[in-house]
Amino acid sequence: MPINIIKYWNVIPRHPKLKWATRKLENITKIVVHQLASPAYPDSTKDIDNNIKYFVNPGNHIAKAGCPYIPYHVIIDDDGKVYWCNPFEDITWHCKGFNTEAVGIGLMGSFDGPGFKGKNKNPTEAQMNSLIQVLDGFRLYMFNNIQKTNIYGHCELDSKNKSACPGTEAMRVLNQWRNT
């Protein structure tokens, strides 16, 4: 069954002053999977608008002054809904040192990982199913130069600072998918 992707980047206002830099699509060589871990809202797995506000407002865990918009290209909520939040040409701030070459996918929620107790414990089965569909679709139809070996959990690119991202269960599913 084809996955329904909701184009979302024009729905809510962006930061009034900040803008993303841009790149050519052919410069994209990696995909990085994250958990949002936005702590400010009671239901961080369902409320995309408040997740976006968390990242745009000053004081979030990525940028003290706020981000131009949510720093992931795609967000997946706990029902498995997929939101396309930034054009792929945008260089968002999701993985320090790899932003110019990577697309960021964020799972809404706060999940258990090494040294971190998540509020939601694990992503849902619907989130994981949608993640695999998105990864397969990106590899086959959008970024055919990206092999499974170039799809990472955030912890694999920054184990010192992001050892719990995207969470233990998300990494288990990602590793299982990469090995099929």
Side-chain angles (χ1 to χ4, degrees):
M1 175 167 66
I3 192 162
N4 180 31
I5 299 177
I6 303 160
K7 186 176 172 185
Y8 213 71
W9 70 70
N10 291 321
V11 174
I12 332 180
R14 296 175 178 263
H15 191 284
K17 296 178 184 170
L18 300 173
K19 305 277 186 240
W20 301 123
T22 59
R23 62 183 166 201
K24 293 181 179 177
L25 289 177
E26 58 264 21
N27 293 340
I28 297 170
T29 60
K30 293 175 178 52
I31 297 172
V32 182
V33 179
H34 304 264
Q35 61 172 306
L36 268 58
S38 49
Y41 303 101
D43 192 353
S44 62
T45 64
K46 289 187 184 296
D47 190 341
I48 188 159
D49 294 343
N50 276 328
N51 274 285
I52 290 171
K53 288 175 190 170
Y54 166 75
F55 287 102
V56 171
N57 289 334
N60 68 66
H61 69 270
I62 294 188
K64 288 181 184 176
C67 298
Y69 200 54
I70 196 162
Y72 310 98
H73 295 89
V74 172
I75 301 295
I76 303 171
D77 74 9
D78 69 339
D79 292 329
K81 285 189 208 123
V82 179
Y83 298 89
W84 186 7
C85 295
N86 285 288
F88 297 120
E89 293 88 355
D90 285 355
I91 301 171
T92 65
W93 306 333
H94 64 92
C95 189
K96 190 174 186 174
F98 297 92
N99 293 326
T100 59
E101 62 197 80
V103 165
I105 298 175
L107 301 170
M108 274 200 240
S110 172
F111 312 119
D112 288 354
F116 181 75
K117 270 294 210 203
K119 178 181 166 192
N120 310 106
K121 190 167 173 84
N122 290 314
T124 66
E125 186 176 340
Q127 277 179 305
M128 294 292 86
N129 290 338
S130 290
L131 174 64
I132 297 308
Q133 284 186 294
V134 166
L135 292 174
D136 282 336
F138 281 4
R139 283 189 56 247
L140 296 172
Y141 303 110
M142 297 213 45
F143 308 112
N144 58 9
N145 62 328
I146 297 179
Q147 302 302 311
K148 285 185 177 183
T149 54
N150 288 342
I151 299 174
Y152 302 91
H154 192 188
C155 60
E156 295 174 298
L157 298 176
D158 186 1
S159 61
K160 180 181 173 194
N161 299 309
K162 303 296 180 184
S163 63
C165 186
T168 302
E169 179 62 12
M171 279 307 303
R172 185 192 68 73
V173 170
L174 183 59
N175 283 324
Q176 181 179 6
W177 172 78
R178 286 192 292 210
N179 291 316
T180 57

